[in-house]
Amino acid sequence: MLDTNLTRIPLRFRASVLVFVLVPALLVAETVEETARKIASRYRNAVISVRLTTRQRMVVAGREMNKDDRVQEGTGVVLDSTGLTVLSLNAVDPLGGSMAESFGLDENSDYRWESQISDVKMRFPSEGEIAGTVILRDRDLDLVFVRPTENLESAPRDIDLAAHDSLDVLEQMVILGRMGKSAGRSSSVLLGRVKAVVQKPRLFYVPDPMTSYAGLGQPVFGLSGKLVGLLLMRTMPGRSSGGSLVIVLPAPEILEIVNQIPASARTGQ
């Protein structure tokens, strides 16, 4: 084993020993960054911007009090060559997602907001902005699936949910995103770590605090280059039951939902 106690080494050799000890660590850091850049280069075109317009109304004791149209843009992950894309429901329609329960806005409340998605626009790097439609929402898992309603000129880059990876506590992960209009909708990449692995009632990962702010709906990869899952919101029902938590929902959980979508719904035929 290398003795790194510099007091035992002649002064003229100490600088060489420091280089010998520290350079491998620096090389590892550079390798992680390079790996992250390669993952981003391969999959950036599968991470797209999706803009949803929601028609919302306030209902008090069964009476409509107010209407409003809101536009929200979120990060979508393309799952197959048809353009089927998954997003975080809470990112684009929080009042229609699970966060509504944490605000006490469930359908049984005397005071509630109702939300309906009225328009979908999908921005593919190779196609520009095209119209889309919602085909499935899962409020509990914070998922919404959309697809193009126009024919795509070329098959978009997609991310394979079946070729997934799993992580352990403190392992590094690569998060891909898509910036907003003010940043030219540029591709983004972030390195993070797993803070906790929760096994029950279902497996999910808790990312470190900085990663939690990356943005809902963004795909998370292991350094293997395989997808781990998506950054989504886990919300406990009721206003006093624990609030919300950003998690990484594993890819197999999402794949299980995708497999329930009929082929006709994916293609619109």
Side-chain angles (χ1 to χ4, degrees):
M1 180 180 294
L2 177 66
D3 187 349
T4 56
N5 187 344
L6 297 183
T7 61
R8 301 180 184 177
I9 301 174
L11 182 61
R12 64 180 182 278
F13 295 127
R14 290 180 188 178
S16 298
V17 171
L18 282 172
V19 171
F20 180 76
V21 171
L22 295 178
V23 165
L26 294 174
L27 291 176
V28 170
E30 291 175 356
T31 300
V32 170
E33 294 169 354
E34 184 61 30
T35 299
R37 283 192 288 267
K38 288 180 180 178
I39 293 171
S41 176
R42 181 176 181 184
Y43 290 112
R44 62 166 55 102
N45 286 344
V47 181
I48 67 172
S49 297
V50 181
R51 188 173 74 249
L52 273 71
T53 302
T54 56
R55 187 153 294 161
Q56 302 173 354
R57 65 173 189 160
M58 183 196 301
V59 178
V60 180
R63 298 181 58 187
E64 181 179 279
M65 304 297 292
N66 189 23
K67 283 184 179 180
D68 189 22
D69 282 352
R70 298 189 181 183
V71 179
Q72 306 251 29
E73 189 168 293
T75 300
V77 176
V78 182
L79 301 179
D80 64 26
S81 59
T82 69
L84 176 69
T85 298
V86 61
L87 302 91
S88 160
L89 180 58
N90 284 311
V92 291
D93 185 17
L95 295 181
S98 60
M99 287 180 66
E101 294 184 1
S102 68
F103 301 143
L105 302 178
D106 62 274
E107 60 185 12
N108 297 318
S109 173
D110 289 336
Y111 167 82
R112 68 182 186 274
W113 279 92
E114 294 180 348
S115 178
Q116 181 180 10
I117 297 173
S118 59
D119 186 64
V120 179
K121 291 291 189 294
M122 308 173 68
R123 182 176 290 275
F124 293 91
S126 60
E127 304 279 341
E129 186 174 273
I130 64 174
T133 187
V134 174
I135 60 174
L136 180 68
R137 279 183 279 190
D138 190 312
R139 184 174 178 176
D140 293 333
L141 294 181
D142 184 28
L143 298 171
V144 56
F145 296 87
V146 300
R147 66 164 177 82
T149 56
E150 304 175 22
N151 292 328
L152 300 176
E153 294 183 3
S154 59
R157 180 72 191 184
D158 61 86
I159 293 177
D160 187 3
L161 290 171
H164 59 85
D165 198 0
S166 59
L167 297 179
D168 204 347
V169 174
L170 292 181
E171 282 197 89
Q172 287 189 293
M173 49 191 180
V174 180
I175 304 94
L176 302 189
R178 180 70 59 179
M179 304 291 287
K181 184 178 180 180
S182 60
R185 294 192 173 86
S186 300
S187 161
S188 66
V189 58
L190 178 69
L191 287 171
R193 289 188 184 272
V194 178
K195 179 179 178 180
V197 179
V198 178
Q199 300 288 346
K200 295 180 179 181
R202 58 163 37 99
L203 173 67
F204 63 83
Y205 306 97
V206 180
D208 64 84
M210 288 300 295
T211 305
S212 297
Y213 293 105
L216 294 177
Q218 297 191 8
V220 175
F221 294 83
L223 295 181
S224 64
K226 296 180 180 179
L227 182 71
V228 174
L230 300 183
L231 282 174
L232 299 171
M233 183 73 73
R234 176 175 171 79
T235 305
M236 301 301 292
R239 281 175 287 185
S240 60
S241 57
S244 302
L245 177 69
V246 175
I247 68 168
V248 179
L249 184 67
E253 294 277 353
I254 303 168
L255 181 60
E256 185 176 341
I257 305 301
V258 172
N259 289 336
Q260 297 175 19
I261 302 174
S264 58
R266 297 190 192 191
T267 61
Q269 299 177 352

